[in-house]
Amino acid sequence: MSINRIQFQTGLSMPEFLEQFGTEAQYEAALEQSRWPQGFVCPCCSETGCSVFIVGAHKMFQCKACRHQTSLTAGTLFQSTKLPLATWFLAIYLVSQAKTGLSALALKRYLGVRYPTAWLIQHKLMQSMCERETKYTLSGQVQVDDAYLGGERSGGKAGRGSENKVPFVAAVSLDGNGHPLRIQLTQVTRFTLRAISSWAKANFAANCSVSSDGLACFSAVSDAGCQHHPLVVGGRKPKELPEFHWINTILGNLKTSLGGSYHAFDFAKYAPRYLASFCISI
């Protein structure tokens, strides 16, 4: 069997990570470069001149124009943290490189922190991933499908009517050779024409060619200027539908990732974070 280029894509090895970020000074330099790639810019007046001094163990920047002081971590994911940057950077590395997901319990063991601390770190990182994913739109050829997180409760409704299921839309854009470029997993309130229309306008570029099954609500992608190509699948299984190979593969991988990493989580409250984390780490 040939090697799957998606599955075996190159990542950052642990030795490479430690070489680039082995000391607290390297973490601070990386953060400063990320915040101000062209040099310091005051968050208040946008002037570039500053004085730098040390408060505790970290740098403090004071604008020469308005005298506003800001720390290296102010306004970032690490603001007000009592943890060293080394802990945060290692958490970012572990969460982003875990192709099958990483639970807060596993993160706790890797970082050597308490479980509530690991949970908070994980959710701050996933929330930033969630916000980052909203900046991208899909274009070209796109496959979409409806899916759910969660299962039926004991004694509750079965199937799509289950009160424990959270609906979301899965989409993947493909290049000219039919290979995946980017995926989006977006929670929706219900699978209605209005919900899908709003979702498509927010996530698709104009003139996308959208393939879906025969679910009626997906016709609303035309409201976003997309071409819709429905295919009624009937009772056929995913392996019998090569037209939806990549979207079915992604949903299968998502199910495996969540089921293998988490015993349970609040689907209704945190679904967007877990979905965004999967999109980035896949």
Side-chain angles (χ1 to χ4, degrees):
M1 180 181 295
S2 60
I3 292 178
N4 186 304
R5 71 182 186 90
I6 300 298
Q7 183 180 6
F8 285 86
Q9 59 186 306
T10 303
L12 181 67
S13 69
M14 180 64 78
E16 290 173 327
F17 170 78
L18 293 175
E19 182 180 352
Q20 293 182 36
F21 308 106
T23 66
E24 193 73 8
Q26 287 177 301
Y27 296 122
E28 290 189 355
L31 180 56
E32 186 174 343
Q33 174 63 25
S34 178
R35 287 198 67 183
W36 303 304
Q38 305 301 323
F40 173 81
V41 177
C42 178
C44 285
C45 67
S46 300
E47 290 295 324
T48 57
C50 72
S51 299
V52 181
F53 48 94
I54 304 297
V55 176
H58 300 289
K59 288 182 179 180
M60 182 70 72
F61 300 81
Q62 179 171 290
C63 177
K64 290 184 177 179
C66 69
R67 315 297 290 179
H68 174 78
Q69 294 182 352
T70 183
S71 68
L72 188 59
T73 58
T76 72
L77 190 67
F78 319 115
Q79 180 170 314
S80 302
T81 184
K82 293 181 174 61
L83 296 172
L85 289 177
T87 301
W88 280 97
F89 271 67
L90 181 57
I92 293 171
Y93 172 78
L94 292 171
V95 171
S96 64
Q97 294 295 309
K99 298 301 180 185
T100 55
L102 187 69
S103 68
L105 182 59
L107 189 61
K108 162 193 175 297
R109 293 166 178 162
Y110 283 124
L111 300 181
V113 297
R114 297 171 58 245
Y115 178 80
T117 302
W119 187 93
L120 183 61
I121 290 174
Q122 182 194 40
H123 276 261
K124 280 192 172 184
L125 294 179
M126 291 196 299
Q127 179 60 29
S128 67
M129 294 175 179
C130 188
E131 294 171 6
R132 178 179 179 269
E133 284 299 290
T134 61
K135 299 179 181 180
Y136 298 102
T137 56
L138 302 183
S139 59
Q141 184 182 353
V142 181
Q143 296 176 3
V144 301
D145 199 3
D146 60 305
Y148 293 85
L149 288 175
E152 64 184 81
R153 290 175 177 163
S154 178
K157 296 180 182 178
R160 291 184 175 179
S162 173
E163 58 279 345
N164 193 42
K165 287 192 173 183
V166 174
F168 70 95
V169 183
V172 55
S173 61
L174 309 177
D175 62 18
N177 296 319
H179 295 143
L181 292 173
R182 177 173 290 278
I183 66 172
Q184 284 192 350
L185 306 175
T186 310
Q187 182 181 355
V188 293
T189 52
R190 297 174 61 190
F191 289 112
T192 62
L193 290 169
R194 177 178 294 181
I196 297 302
S197 175
S198 298
W199 167 77
K201 290 175 181 178
N203 293 282
F204 286 167
N207 299 319
C208 282
S209 178
V210 181
S211 300
S212 74
D213 59 20
L215 194 63
C217 63
F218 282 129
S219 63
V221 299
S222 59
D223 294 344
C226 301
Q227 305 171 30
H228 183 221
H229 305 285
L231 176 65
V232 178
V233 301
R236 286 179 288 175
K237 298 180 179 179
K239 65 180 181 180
E240 300 171 333
L241 295 165
E243 299 89 349
F244 301 118
H245 168 71
W246 283 113
I247 195 66
N248 287 332
T249 298
I250 287 166
L251 290 175
N253 290 344
L254 174 64
K255 180 179 179 180
T256 300
S257 176
L258 295 180
S261 300
Y262 308 104
H263 293 295
F265 60 83
D266 190 333
F267 296 104
K269 189 173 184 179
Y270 299 121
R273 295 180 181 178
Y274 286 95
L275 294 175
S277 176
F278 175 81
C279 289
I280 289 179
S281 64
I282 188 172

